[in-house]
Amino acid sequence: DSKRVLGLPGNPASALVCAHLFLQPLLTGAPLPLVKARLAAPLPANGPREQYMRAAISLTDGGVVMAHAAANQDSSLITPFIRSAGLIRRLPGTPGMETGQVVDCILIRAPRWTDQDGS
């Protein structure tokens, strides 16, 4: 039968991330919009699972796309989504990253293309 079922996690932030990663492409048939961005602050090493970190996306006066990872990535928090335009994709086992390193970001809404501090 042609019915599709998608189960979402119970934590609000996890459910929203999964909706963007799986439900949106399922409903629209469109690929996820990706951008390359430079980190606005260092990130610690990633563990054994793929991670999608909520992040504000901004554009510097020099035209550089910056990703500002939300300080608290707790899966029960919705507030970081209000401030985020993207999800930083981190592969399993990714080592710590320094400010300025390039990361892949999935856009979850149109960013504000003005210079900002990520708050």
Side-chain angles (χ1 to χ4, degrees):
D1 122 18
S2 64
K3 293 179 185 169
R4 294 182 178 159
V5 176
L6 177 66
L8 297 174
N11 280 331
S14 298
L16 287 169
V17 168
C18 288
H20 282 288
L21 295 178
F22 306 115
L23 183 60
Q24 180 179 338
L26 182 68
L27 294 175
T28 65
L32 296 170
L34 291 171
V35 296
K36 298 275 187 192
R38 295 198 176 270
L39 288 175
L43 293 177
N46 192 26
R49 297 186 303 175
E50 193 162 337
Q51 181 183 28
Y52 292 87
M53 301 178 75
R54 290 155 283 168
I57 307 294
S58 66
L59 188 65
T60 68
D61 291 337
V64 177
V65 179
M66 300 296 294
H68 309 260
N72 192 339
Q73 296 287 326
D74 187 280
S75 62
S76 67
L77 299 177
I78 297 295
T79 304
F81 267 99
I82 295 167
R83 298 182 180 138
S84 297
L87 301 169
I88 298 171
R89 180 180 182 209
R90 307 216 46 227
L91 296 176
T94 300
M97 300 181 78
E98 298 298 322
T99 300
Q101 283 190 271
V102 176
V103 292
D104 288 327
C105 295
I106 297 168
L107 293 179
I108 58 174
R109 74 169 135 268
R112 292 178 288 161
W113 293 120
T114 58
D115 196 14
Q116 57 183 295
D117 63 7
S119 57

